[in-house]
Amino acid sequence: MRIFLTIVFLLVCIVLTGIVLAQQGKDAGLGAIGGIGDTYWGKNKSRSMEGRLVKITTWLAVLFIVLAIILNLNF
């Protein structure tokens, strides 16, 4: 069981790293000064690919923490 959880943990680590690197930065650059960052696409990010990446990152981070705690227990 411990070997299986370690393999899953390593896979989660690799996928989480890749997804974090694939995301865009949160800063809007100089466009934020003039309000250009508040476009239609900026307001509907939860439906875009970027929004999905944020949700996947959140779930993988939670899974990462849970697996790290479980693997740290001495059972």
Side-chain angles (χ1 to χ4, degrees):
M1 183 67 170
R2 188 167 184 85
I3 295 172
F4 173 73
L5 288 176
T6 304
I7 292 171
V8 172
F9 183 71
L10 290 174
L11 289 174
V12 167
C13 291
I14 292 168
V15 173
L16 185 61
T17 302
I19 288 179
V20 167
L21 290 175
Q23 291 181 9
Q24 297 177 359
K26 296 293 181 187
D27 57 342
L30 293 175
I33 296 173
I36 298 171
D38 292 334
T39 62
Y40 174 77
W41 298 111
K43 292 180 181 177
N44 291 322
K45 276 198 167 186
S46 64
R47 295 182 185 170
S48 68
M49 185 62 179
E50 182 69 25
R52 283 189 222 115
L53 285 176
V54 170
K55 289 179 185 177
I56 292 171
T57 304
T58 304
W59 283 105
L60 283 175
V62 169
L63 184 61
F64 173 83
I65 292 170
V66 169
L67 284 173
I69 291 172
I70 289 172
L71 288 172
N72 197 26
L73 297 174
N74 293 325
F75 59 92

Short mmCIF file of all heavy atoms in Angstrom, two decimals:
data_model
loop_
_atom_site.label_atom_id
_atom_site.label_comp_id
_atom_site.label_asym_id
_atom_site.label_seq_id
_atom_site.Cartn_x
_atom_site.Cartn_y
_atom_site.Cartn_z
N MET A 1 0.83 -1.19 0.00
CA MET A 1 0.00 0.00 0.00
C MET A 1 0.87 1.25 0.00
O MET A 1 0.55 2.22 -0.67
CB MET A 1 -0.92 -0.04 1.23
CG MET A 1 -1.88 1.10 1.30
SD MET A 1 -3.08 0.99 -0.03
CE MET A 1 -4.21 2.22 0.44
N ARG A 2 1.94 1.22 0.79
CA ARG A 2 2.83 2.39 0.88
C ARG A 2 3.52 2.65 -0.44
O ARG A 2 3.69 3.81 -0.83
CB ARG A 2 3.84 2.18 2.00
CG ARG A 2 4.68 3.40 2.29
CD ARG A 2 5.42 3.23 3.60
NE ARG A 2 6.15 4.39 3.98
CZ ARG A 2 5.65 5.42 4.64
NH1 ARG A 2 4.39 5.42 4.98
NH2 ARG A 2 6.40 6.45 4.95
N ILE A 3 3.89 1.60 -1.16
CA ILE A 3 4.54 1.77 -2.46
C ILE A 3 3.57 2.39 -3.46
O ILE A 3 3.93 3.29 -4.22
CB ILE A 3 5.09 0.42 -2.97
CG1 ILE A 3 6.20 -0.07 -2.04
CG2 ILE A 3 5.59 0.54 -4.40
CD1 ILE A 3 6.68 -1.46 -2.33
N PHE A 4 2.32 1.94 -3.45
CA PHE A 4 1.30 2.49 -4.34
C PHE A 4 1.08 3.97 -4.05
O PHE A 4 1.01 4.78 -4.98
CB PHE A 4 -0.01 1.71 -4.19
CG PHE A 4 -1.15 2.30 -4.94
CD1 PHE A 4 -1.20 2.21 -6.32
CD2 PHE A 4 -2.16 2.99 -4.27
CE1 PHE A 4 -2.25 2.77 -7.04
CE2 PHE A 4 -3.21 3.55 -4.97
CZ PHE A 4 -3.26 3.44 -6.35
N LEU A 5 0.97 4.33 -2.78
CA LEU A 5 0.76 5.74 -2.41
C LEU A 5 1.97 6.60 -2.78
O LEU A 5 1.82 7.75 -3.19
CB LEU A 5 0.47 5.86 -0.92
CG LEU A 5 -0.90 5.37 -0.47
CD1 LEU A 5 -1.02 5.47 1.05
CD2 LEU A 5 -2.00 6.15 -1.14
N THR A 6 3.17 6.04 -2.68
CA THR A 6 4.37 6.78 -3.07
C THR A 6 4.39 7.03 -4.57
O THR A 6 4.75 8.13 -5.01
CB THR A 6 5.62 6.00 -2.63
OG1 THR A 6 5.57 5.76 -1.23
CG2 THR A 6 6.88 6.77 -2.97
N ILE A 7 3.99 6.04 -5.35
CA ILE A 7 3.94 6.22 -6.80
C ILE A 7 2.89 7.27 -7.17
O ILE A 7 3.15 8.14 -8.02
CB ILE A 7 3.66 4.86 -7.49
CG1 ILE A 7 4.86 3.94 -7.31
CG2 ILE A 7 3.34 5.05 -8.97
CD1 ILE A 7 4.63 2.52 -7.76
N VAL A 8 1.72 7.21 -6.54
CA VAL A 8 0.68 8.21 -6.79
C VAL A 8 1.18 9.59 -6.38
O VAL A 8 0.95 10.58 -7.09
CB VAL A 8 -0.63 7.84 -6.05
CG1 VAL A 8 -1.64 8.96 -6.13
CG2 VAL A 8 -1.21 6.56 -6.61
N PHE A 9 1.87 9.67 -5.26
CA PHE A 9 2.42 10.94 -4.78
C PHE A 9 3.41 11.53 -5.79
O PHE A 9 3.37 12.72 -6.08
CB PHE A 9 3.09 10.72 -3.42
CG PHE A 9 3.63 11.96 -2.79
CD1 PHE A 9 2.79 12.93 -2.28
CD2 PHE A 9 5.00 12.15 -2.68
CE1 PHE A 9 3.29 14.07 -1.69
CE2 PHE A 9 5.51 13.29 -2.08
CZ PHE A 9 4.65 14.26 -1.59
N LEU A 10 4.28 10.70 -6.32
CA LEU A 10 5.25 11.17 -7.32
C LEU A 10 4.56 11.64 -8.59
O LEU A 10 4.95 12.65 -9.18
CB LEU A 10 6.27 10.07 -7.63
CG LEU A 10 7.26 9.76 -6.51
CD1 LEU A 10 8.11 8.55 -6.90
CD2 LEU A 10 8.13 10.96 -6.22
N LEU A 11 3.54 10.92 -9.02
CA LEU A 11 2.78 11.34 -10.20
C LEU A 11 2.08 12.68 -9.97
O LEU A 11 2.08 13.55 -10.86
CB LEU A 11 1.77 10.27 -10.60
CG LEU A 11 2.35 8.99 -11.19
CD1 LEU A 11 1.26 7.96 -11.42
CD2 LEU A 11 3.08 9.29 -12.48
N VAL A 12 1.50 12.85 -8.78
CA VAL A 12 0.84 14.11 -8.45
C VAL A 12 1.87 15.24 -8.44
O VAL A 12 1.60 16.34 -8.95
CB VAL A 12 0.10 14.01 -7.08
CG1 VAL A 12 -0.31 15.38 -6.58
CG2 VAL A 12 -1.11 13.12 -7.22
N CYS A 13 3.05 14.99 -7.92
CA CYS A 13 4.11 16.01 -7.90
C CYS A 13 4.50 16.44 -9.31
O CYS A 13 4.62 17.64 -9.59
CB CYS A 13 5.35 15.47 -7.18
SG CYS A 13 5.13 15.24 -5.42
N ILE A 14 4.66 15.48 -10.21
CA ILE A 14 5.08 15.78 -11.58
C ILE A 14 3.98 16.55 -12.31
O ILE A 14 4.24 17.56 -12.97
CB ILE A 14 5.46 14.49 -12.31
CG1 ILE A 14 6.73 13.91 -11.70
CG2 ILE A 14 5.64 14.73 -13.80
CD1 ILE A 14 7.05 12.50 -12.15
N VAL A 15 2.74 16.09 -12.20
CA VAL A 15 1.62 16.75 -12.88
C VAL A 15 1.40 18.15 -12.31
O VAL A 15 1.16 19.11 -13.06
CB VAL A 15 0.34 15.89 -12.79
CG1 VAL A 15 -0.86 16.63 -13.33
CG2 VAL A 15 0.54 14.58 -13.53
N LEU A 16 1.48 18.29 -11.00
CA LEU A 16 1.29 19.60 -10.36
C LEU A 16 2.36 20.58 -10.83
O LEU A 16 2.05 21.74 -11.12
CB LEU A 16 1.31 19.44 -8.84
CG LEU A 16 1.01 20.69 -8.01
CD1 LEU A 16 -0.37 21.22 -8.31
CD2 LEU A 16 1.14 20.36 -6.53
N THR A 17 3.58 20.13 -10.93
CA THR A 17 4.66 20.99 -11.41
C THR A 17 4.40 21.44 -12.84
O THR A 17 4.56 22.62 -13.18
CB THR A 17 6.01 20.25 -11.33
OG1 THR A 17 6.23 19.86 -9.98
CG2 THR A 17 7.15 21.14 -11.80
N GLY A 18 3.98 20.52 -13.69
CA GLY A 18 3.70 20.86 -15.08
C GLY A 18 2.55 21.84 -15.23
O GLY A 18 2.62 22.77 -16.04
N ILE A 19 1.49 21.65 -14.43
CA ILE A 19 0.34 22.54 -14.53
C ILE A 19 0.67 23.93 -14.01
O ILE A 19 0.25 24.94 -14.58
CB ILE A 19 -0.87 21.93 -13.79
CG1 ILE A 19 -1.39 20.75 -14.59
CG2 ILE A 19 -1.96 22.95 -13.58
CD1 ILE A 19 -2.56 20.04 -13.98
N VAL A 20 1.44 24.01 -12.95
CA VAL A 20 1.83 25.33 -12.43
C VAL A 20 2.69 26.06 -13.45
O VAL A 20 2.53 27.27 -13.66
CB VAL A 20 2.57 25.17 -11.08
CG1 VAL A 20 3.24 26.46 -10.68
CG2 VAL A 20 1.59 24.74 -10.00
N LEU A 21 3.58 25.36 -14.10
CA LEU A 21 4.42 25.99 -15.12
C LEU A 21 3.63 26.39 -16.36
O LEU A 21 4.01 27.32 -17.07
CB LEU A 21 5.57 25.06 -15.51
CG LEU A 21 6.64 24.84 -14.44
CD1 LEU A 21 7.65 23.81 -14.91
CD2 LEU A 21 7.33 26.15 -14.11
N ALA A 22 2.52 25.73 -16.64
CA ALA A 22 1.71 26.04 -17.81
C ALA A 22 0.81 27.25 -17.61
O ALA A 22 0.32 27.82 -18.58
CB ALA A 22 0.84 24.83 -18.17
N GLN A 23 0.60 27.66 -16.37
CA GLN A 23 -0.30 28.78 -16.10
C GLN A 23 0.37 30.11 -16.41
O GLN A 23 1.58 30.26 -16.33
CB GLN A 23 -0.75 28.77 -14.64
CG GLN A 23 -1.66 27.63 -14.33
CD GLN A 23 -2.12 27.66 -12.89
OE1 GLN A 23 -1.89 28.62 -12.17
NE2 GLN A 23 -2.77 26.60 -12.47
N GLN A 24 -0.47 31.08 -16.75
CA GLN A 24 0.01 32.43 -16.99
C GLN A 24 0.13 33.17 -15.68
O GLN A 24 -0.49 32.80 -14.69
CB GLN A 24 -0.96 33.19 -17.89
CG GLN A 24 -1.09 32.58 -19.27
CD GLN A 24 -2.12 33.32 -20.09
OE1 GLN A 24 -2.74 34.26 -19.63
NE2 GLN A 24 -2.30 32.87 -21.32
N GLY A 25 0.90 34.24 -15.69
CA GLY A 25 1.05 35.06 -14.50
C GLY A 25 -0.23 35.81 -14.18
O GLY A 25 -1.07 36.05 -15.05
N LYS A 26 -0.39 36.21 -12.94
CA LYS A 26 -1.60 36.90 -12.52
C LYS A 26 -1.55 38.40 -12.79
O LYS A 26 -2.56 39.08 -12.74
CB LYS A 26 -1.85 36.69 -11.02
CG LYS A 26 -2.13 35.26 -10.66
CD LYS A 26 -3.44 34.80 -11.26
CE LYS A 26 -3.71 33.36 -10.87
NZ LYS A 26 -4.86 32.82 -11.53
N ASP A 27 -0.37 38.94 -13.06
CA ASP A 27 -0.28 40.37 -13.30
C ASP A 27 -0.76 40.69 -14.71
O ASP A 27 -0.56 39.95 -15.65
CB ASP A 27 1.14 40.86 -13.10
CG ASP A 27 2.15 40.15 -13.99
OD1 ASP A 27 1.80 39.06 -14.49
OD2 ASP A 27 3.25 40.66 -14.17
N ALA A 28 -1.42 41.82 -14.86
CA ALA A 28 -1.96 42.23 -16.14
C ALA A 28 -1.03 43.19 -16.87
O ALA A 28 -1.36 43.68 -17.93
CB ALA A 28 -3.34 42.88 -15.94
N GLY A 29 0.11 43.48 -16.30
CA GLY A 29 1.05 44.38 -16.93
C GLY A 29 0.55 45.81 -16.91
O GLY A 29 -0.19 46.23 -16.02
N LEU A 30 0.92 46.58 -17.90
CA LEU A 30 0.52 47.98 -17.96
C LEU A 30 -0.95 48.15 -18.34
O LEU A 30 -1.51 49.22 -18.17
CB LEU A 30 1.40 48.74 -18.96
CG LEU A 30 2.86 48.90 -18.56
CD1 LEU A 30 3.63 49.56 -19.69
CD2 LEU A 30 2.98 49.70 -17.30
N GLY A 31 -1.58 47.11 -18.83
CA GLY A 31 -2.99 47.17 -19.18
C GLY A 31 -3.89 47.36 -17.97
O GLY A 31 -5.01 47.85 -18.07
N ALA A 32 -3.41 46.99 -16.79
CA ALA A 32 -4.21 47.12 -15.58
C ALA A 32 -4.37 48.58 -15.16
O ALA A 32 -5.32 48.93 -14.47
CB ALA A 32 -3.59 46.32 -14.44
N ILE A 33 -3.45 49.43 -15.58
CA ILE A 33 -3.52 50.84 -15.20
C ILE A 33 -4.74 51.51 -15.82
O ILE A 33 -5.47 52.24 -15.17
CB ILE A 33 -2.22 51.58 -15.62
CG1 ILE A 33 -1.05 51.01 -14.85
CG2 ILE A 33 -2.35 53.07 -15.39
CD1 ILE A 33 0.30 51.53 -15.30
N GLY A 34 -4.98 51.23 -17.10
CA GLY A 34 -6.09 51.86 -17.79
C GLY A 34 -7.37 51.07 -17.73
O GLY A 34 -8.37 51.46 -18.33
N GLY A 35 -7.41 49.97 -17.03
CA GLY A 35 -8.61 49.16 -16.93
C GLY A 35 -8.80 48.22 -18.10
O GLY A 35 -9.86 47.66 -18.29
N ILE A 36 -7.77 48.06 -18.91
CA ILE A 36 -7.87 47.20 -20.07
C ILE A 36 -7.98 45.73 -19.66
O ILE A 36 -8.54 44.91 -20.36
CB ILE A 36 -6.66 47.42 -21.01
CG1 ILE A 36 -6.65 48.86 -21.50
CG2 ILE A 36 -6.69 46.47 -22.19
CD1 ILE A 36 -5.41 49.25 -22.25
N GLY A 37 -7.50 45.39 -18.50
CA GLY A 37 -7.54 44.01 -18.03
C GLY A 37 -8.94 43.51 -17.73
O GLY A 37 -9.18 42.32 -17.63
N ASP A 38 -9.93 44.42 -17.60
CA ASP A 38 -11.30 44.02 -17.29
C ASP A 38 -12.09 43.82 -18.57
O ASP A 38 -13.10 44.48 -18.83
CB ASP A 38 -11.98 45.07 -16.41
CG ASP A 38 -11.40 45.13 -15.03
OD1 ASP A 38 -10.85 44.10 -14.60
OD2 ASP A 38 -11.48 46.19 -14.39
N THR A 39 -11.67 42.91 -19.40
CA THR A 39 -12.38 42.60 -20.62
C THR A 39 -13.33 41.44 -20.37
O THR A 39 -13.39 40.88 -19.27
CB THR A 39 -11.40 42.22 -21.74
OG1 THR A 39 -10.69 41.05 -21.34
CG2 THR A 39 -10.42 43.35 -22.02
N TYR A 40 -14.05 41.05 -21.40
CA TYR A 40 -14.96 39.92 -21.29
C TYR A 40 -14.22 38.65 -20.89
O TYR A 40 -14.66 37.90 -20.04
CB TYR A 40 -15.69 39.70 -22.62
CG TYR A 40 -16.54 38.46 -22.65
CD1 TYR A 40 -17.77 38.45 -22.01
CD2 TYR A 40 -16.12 37.31 -23.29
CE1 TYR A 40 -18.55 37.31 -22.00
CE2 TYR A 40 -16.89 36.17 -23.30
CZ TYR A 40 -18.11 36.18 -22.66
OH TYR A 40 -18.88 35.05 -22.66
N TRP A 41 -13.07 38.43 -21.50
CA TRP A 41 -12.31 37.22 -21.20
C TRP A 41 -11.70 37.27 -19.82
O TRP A 41 -11.49 36.25 -19.19
CB TRP A 41 -11.23 37.00 -22.25
CG TRP A 41 -11.80 36.81 -23.61
CD1 TRP A 41 -11.71 37.68 -24.66
CD2 TRP A 41 -12.61 35.72 -24.07
NE1 TRP A 41 -12.39 37.18 -25.73
CE2 TRP A 41 -12.96 35.99 -25.40
CE3 TRP A 41 -13.06 34.55 -23.49
CZ2 TRP A 41 -13.73 35.11 -26.16
CZ3 TRP A 41 -13.84 33.69 -24.24
CH2 TRP A 41 -14.16 33.97 -25.55
N GLY A 42 -11.40 38.47 -19.32
CA GLY A 42 -10.85 38.59 -17.97
C GLY A 42 -11.88 38.29 -16.90
O GLY A 42 -11.57 37.82 -15.82
N LYS A 43 -13.16 38.58 -17.20
CA LYS A 43 -14.22 38.36 -16.22
C LYS A 43 -14.73 36.93 -16.23
O LYS A 43 -15.29 36.46 -15.25
CB LYS A 43 -15.39 39.31 -16.50
CG LYS A 43 -15.04 40.77 -16.25
CD LYS A 43 -16.21 41.67 -16.54
CE LYS A 43 -15.83 43.12 -16.31
NZ LYS A 43 -16.91 44.03 -16.64
N ASN A 44 -14.57 36.23 -17.33
CA ASN A 44 -15.09 34.86 -17.45
C ASN A 44 -13.96 33.84 -17.46
O ASN A 44 -14.00 32.88 -18.20
CB ASN A 44 -15.91 34.72 -18.73
CG ASN A 44 -17.19 35.50 -18.66
OD1 ASN A 44 -17.81 35.55 -17.61
ND2 ASN A 44 -17.59 36.11 -19.75
N LYS A 45 -12.99 34.03 -16.61
CA LYS A 45 -11.84 33.12 -16.60
C LYS A 45 -12.20 31.73 -16.08
O LYS A 45 -11.51 30.78 -16.39
CB LYS A 45 -10.71 33.70 -15.76
CG LYS A 45 -9.87 34.67 -16.53
CD LYS A 45 -8.57 34.86 -15.84
CE LYS A 45 -7.62 35.57 -16.78
NZ LYS A 45 -6.31 35.69 -16.28
N SER A 46 -13.24 31.61 -15.29
CA SER A 46 -13.56 30.29 -14.74
C SER A 46 -14.02 29.34 -15.83
O SER A 46 -13.95 28.13 -15.67
CB SER A 46 -14.63 30.41 -13.67
OG SER A 46 -15.83 30.89 -14.23
N ARG A 47 -14.49 29.86 -16.95
CA ARG A 47 -14.95 29.01 -18.05
C ARG A 47 -13.85 28.75 -19.07
O ARG A 47 -14.04 27.96 -19.97
CB ARG A 47 -16.14 29.66 -18.73
CG ARG A 47 -17.34 29.78 -17.84
CD ARG A 47 -18.49 30.38 -18.56
NE ARG A 47 -19.59 30.60 -17.64
CZ ARG A 47 -20.66 31.29 -17.92
NH1 ARG A 47 -20.79 31.84 -19.10
NH2 ARG A 47 -21.59 31.44 -17.03
N SER A 48 -12.75 29.42 -18.95
CA SER A 48 -11.67 29.27 -19.91
C SER A 48 -10.71 28.15 -19.48
O SER A 48 -10.85 27.57 -18.41
CB SER A 48 -10.91 30.58 -20.07
OG SER A 48 -10.21 30.87 -18.87
N MET A 49 -9.74 27.91 -20.32
CA MET A 49 -8.73 26.90 -20.00
C MET A 49 -7.93 27.32 -18.77
O MET A 49 -7.57 26.48 -17.95
CB MET A 49 -7.81 26.72 -21.21
CG MET A 49 -6.83 25.63 -21.05
SD MET A 49 -7.69 24.06 -20.85
CE MET A 49 -6.33 22.97 -20.72
N GLU A 50 -7.67 28.61 -18.63
CA GLU A 50 -6.93 29.12 -17.47
C GLU A 50 -7.71 28.84 -16.18
O GLU A 50 -7.12 28.46 -15.17
CB GLU A 50 -6.67 30.61 -17.62
CG GLU A 50 -5.87 31.21 -16.49
CD GLU A 50 -4.43 30.74 -16.45
OE1 GLU A 50 -3.91 30.34 -17.50
OE2 GLU A 50 -3.84 30.75 -15.36
N GLY A 51 -9.03 28.99 -16.21
CA GLY A 51 -9.85 28.71 -15.04
C GLY A 51 -9.82 27.24 -14.68
O GLY A 51 -9.78 26.88 -13.50
N ARG A 52 -9.82 26.39 -15.70
CA ARG A 52 -9.74 24.95 -15.44
C ARG A 52 -8.39 24.57 -14.85
O ARG A 52 -8.31 23.72 -13.96
CB ARG A 52 -9.99 24.17 -16.72
CG ARG A 52 -11.45 24.13 -17.08
CD ARG A 52 -11.70 23.17 -18.23
NE ARG A 52 -12.65 23.82 -19.11
CZ ARG A 52 -12.42 24.20 -20.35
NH1 ARG A 52 -11.27 23.94 -20.90
NH2 ARG A 52 -13.33 24.80 -21.05
N LEU A 53 -7.34 25.21 -15.33
CA LEU A 53 -6.01 24.93 -14.78
C LEU A 53 -5.92 25.33 -13.31
O LEU A 53 -5.29 24.64 -12.51
CB LEU A 53 -4.93 25.66 -15.59
CG LEU A 53 -4.59 25.08 -16.95
CD1 LEU A 53 -3.57 25.96 -17.66
CD2 LEU A 53 -4.07 23.67 -16.84
N VAL A 54 -6.57 26.43 -12.96
CA VAL A 54 -6.57 26.86 -11.55
C VAL A 54 -7.31 25.85 -10.68
O VAL A 54 -6.85 25.49 -9.60
CB VAL A 54 -7.20 28.27 -11.42
CG1 VAL A 54 -7.44 28.64 -9.97
CG2 VAL A 54 -6.33 29.31 -12.09
N LYS A 55 -8.45 25.35 -11.16
CA LYS A 55 -9.20 24.36 -10.40
C LYS A 55 -8.42 23.05 -10.25
O LYS A 55 -8.38 22.45 -9.17
CB LYS A 55 -10.55 24.09 -11.06
CG LYS A 55 -11.52 25.23 -10.94
CD LYS A 55 -12.82 24.91 -11.63
CE LYS A 55 -13.74 26.10 -11.60
NZ LYS A 55 -15.00 25.86 -12.33
N ILE A 56 -7.79 22.61 -11.34
CA ILE A 56 -7.00 21.38 -11.29
C ILE A 56 -5.82 21.55 -10.34
O ILE A 56 -5.49 20.64 -9.57
CB ILE A 56 -6.54 20.99 -12.71
CG1 ILE A 56 -7.73 20.58 -13.55
CG2 ILE A 56 -5.52 19.87 -12.66
CD1 ILE A 56 -7.41 20.40 -15.03
N THR A 57 -5.20 22.73 -10.37
CA THR A 57 -4.08 23.00 -9.47
C THR A 57 -4.52 22.94 -8.02
O THR A 57 -3.82 22.38 -7.17
CB THR A 57 -3.47 24.39 -9.77
OG1 THR A 57 -3.09 24.44 -11.14
CG2 THR A 57 -2.28 24.67 -8.90
N THR A 58 -5.69 23.48 -7.73
CA THR A 58 -6.20 23.46 -6.36
C THR A 58 -6.43 22.02 -5.89
O THR A 58 -6.01 21.65 -4.79
CB THR A 58 -7.52 24.25 -6.27
OG1 THR A 58 -7.29 25.58 -6.74
CG2 THR A 58 -8.04 24.29 -4.85
N TRP A 59 -7.08 21.22 -6.72
CA TRP A 59 -7.35 19.83 -6.34
C TRP A 59 -6.07 19.02 -6.19
O TRP A 59 -5.94 18.21 -5.27
CB TRP A 59 -8.30 19.17 -7.34
CG TRP A 59 -9.71 19.60 -7.15
CD1 TRP A 59 -10.42 20.46 -7.93
CD2 TRP A 59 -10.59 19.23 -6.08
NE1 TRP A 59 -11.67 20.63 -7.43
CE2 TRP A 59 -11.81 19.89 -6.29
CE3 TRP A 59 -10.45 18.40 -4.98
CZ2 TRP A 59 -12.89 19.74 -5.43
CZ3 TRP A 59 -11.52 18.25 -4.11
CH2 TRP A 59 -12.72 18.92 -4.34
N LEU A 60 -5.13 19.24 -7.10
CA LEU A 60 -3.87 18.50 -6.99
C LEU A 60 -3.07 18.94 -5.77
O LEU A 60 -2.40 18.11 -5.14
CB LEU A 60 -3.04 18.69 -8.26
CG LEU A 60 -3.49 17.88 -9.47
CD1 LEU A 60 -2.64 18.25 -10.69
CD2 LEU A 60 -3.40 16.40 -9.19
N ALA A 61 -3.14 20.21 -5.41
CA ALA A 61 -2.43 20.69 -4.21
C ALA A 61 -3.03 20.06 -2.95
O ALA A 61 -2.30 19.66 -2.04
CB ALA A 61 -2.48 22.21 -4.13
N VAL A 62 -4.36 19.95 -2.91
CA VAL A 62 -5.01 19.31 -1.76
C VAL A 62 -4.61 17.83 -1.70
O VAL A 62 -4.29 17.31 -0.63
CB VAL A 62 -6.54 19.47 -1.85
CG1 VAL A 62 -7.26 18.60 -0.84
CG2 VAL A 62 -6.93 20.93 -1.66
N LEU A 63 -4.62 17.16 -2.85
CA LEU A 63 -4.22 15.75 -2.89
C LEU A 63 -2.77 15.59 -2.49
O LEU A 63 -2.42 14.65 -1.77
CB LEU A 63 -4.45 15.19 -4.30
CG LEU A 63 -4.18 13.72 -4.52
CD1 LEU A 63 -5.09 12.86 -3.64
CD2 LEU A 63 -4.37 13.36 -5.98
N PHE A 64 -1.91 16.52 -2.90
CA PHE A 64 -0.50 16.50 -2.53
C PHE A 64 -0.34 16.57 -1.02
O PHE A 64 0.41 15.79 -0.42
CB PHE A 64 0.20 17.68 -3.21
CG PHE A 64 1.62 17.87 -2.78
CD1 PHE A 64 2.63 17.14 -3.36
CD2 PHE A 64 1.95 18.79 -1.79
CE1 PHE A 64 3.95 17.32 -2.97
CE2 PHE A 64 3.25 18.97 -1.39
CZ PHE A 64 4.26 18.24 -1.99
N ILE A 65 -1.06 17.48 -0.38
CA ILE A 65 -0.95 17.65 1.07
C ILE A 65 -1.48 16.42 1.80
O ILE A 65 -0.86 15.93 2.76
CB ILE A 65 -1.68 18.93 1.52
CG1 ILE A 65 -0.94 20.16 0.98
CG2 ILE A 65 -1.81 19.00 3.03
CD1 ILE A 65 -1.68 21.46 1.16
N VAL A 66 -2.62 15.90 1.35
CA VAL A 66 -3.20 14.72 2.00
C VAL A 66 -2.27 13.52 1.87
O VAL A 66 -2.02 12.80 2.85
CB VAL A 66 -4.60 14.42 1.41
CG1 VAL A 66 -5.10 13.06 1.86
CG2 VAL A 66 -5.59 15.50 1.80
N LEU A 67 -1.72 13.31 0.68
CA LEU A 67 -0.80 12.18 0.49
C LEU A 67 0.48 12.37 1.30
O LEU A 67 1.01 11.39 1.84
CB LEU A 67 -0.47 12.01 -0.98
CG LEU A 67 -1.56 11.37 -1.84
CD1 LEU A 67 -1.17 11.41 -3.31
CD2 LEU A 67 -1.84 9.96 -1.40
N ALA A 68 0.96 13.59 1.40
CA ALA A 68 2.17 13.84 2.19
C ALA A 68 1.92 13.53 3.66
O ALA A 68 2.77 12.94 4.33
CB ALA A 68 2.61 15.29 2.02
N ILE A 69 0.75 13.88 4.17
CA ILE A 69 0.43 13.58 5.57
C ILE A 69 0.28 12.08 5.77
O ILE A 69 0.80 11.52 6.74
CB ILE A 69 -0.86 14.34 5.98
CG1 ILE A 69 -0.59 15.83 6.04
CG2 ILE A 69 -1.38 13.82 7.33
CD1 ILE A 69 -1.83 16.68 6.24
N ILE A 70 -0.40 11.40 4.84
CA ILE A 70 -0.60 9.97 4.97
C ILE A 70 0.74 9.22 4.91
O ILE A 70 1.00 8.30 5.70
CB ILE A 70 -1.56 9.44 3.89
CG1 ILE A 70 -2.97 9.93 4.17
CG2 ILE A 70 -1.54 7.92 3.81
CD1 ILE A 70 -3.98 9.64 3.06
N LEU A 71 1.60 9.63 3.98
CA LEU A 71 2.89 8.95 3.85
C LEU A 71 3.82 9.25 5.04
O LEU A 71 4.75 8.50 5.29
CB LEU A 71 3.57 9.35 2.54
CG LEU A 71 2.94 8.76 1.29
CD1 LEU A 71 3.54 9.37 0.04
CD2 LEU A 71 3.12 7.25 1.28
N ASN A 72 3.57 10.32 5.74
CA ASN A 72 4.39 10.67 6.89
C ASN A 72 3.99 9.90 8.16
O ASN A 72 4.78 9.80 9.09
CB ASN A 72 4.33 12.18 7.16
CG ASN A 72 5.45 12.65 8.04
OD1 ASN A 72 6.51 12.04 8.09
ND2 ASN A 72 5.20 13.74 8.75
N LEU A 73 2.78 9.38 8.17
CA LEU A 73 2.33 8.59 9.30
C LEU A 73 3.07 7.26 9.32
O LEU A 73 3.38 6.68 8.29
CB LEU A 73 0.83 8.33 9.23
CG LEU A 73 -0.08 9.56 9.31
CD1 LEU A 73 -1.53 9.12 9.08
CD2 LEU A 73 0.06 10.24 10.65
N ASN A 74 3.32 6.77 10.48
CA ASN A 74 4.01 5.48 10.62
C ASN A 74 2.97 4.36 10.82
O ASN A 74 2.59 4.06 11.92
CB ASN A 74 4.97 5.50 11.80
CG ASN A 74 6.11 6.45 11.56
OD1 ASN A 74 6.56 6.58 10.44
ND2 ASN A 74 6.56 7.11 12.61
N PHE A 75 2.54 3.80 9.71
CA PHE A 75 1.60 2.68 9.82
C PHE A 75 2.16 1.43 9.24
O PHE A 75 3.09 1.34 8.57
CB PHE A 75 0.26 3.00 9.16
CG PHE A 75 0.32 3.34 7.71
CD1 PHE A 75 0.17 2.34 6.77
CD2 PHE A 75 0.49 4.64 7.28
CE1 PHE A 75 0.21 2.64 5.43
CE2 PHE A 75 0.51 4.95 5.94
CZ PHE A 75 0.38 3.94 5.01
#
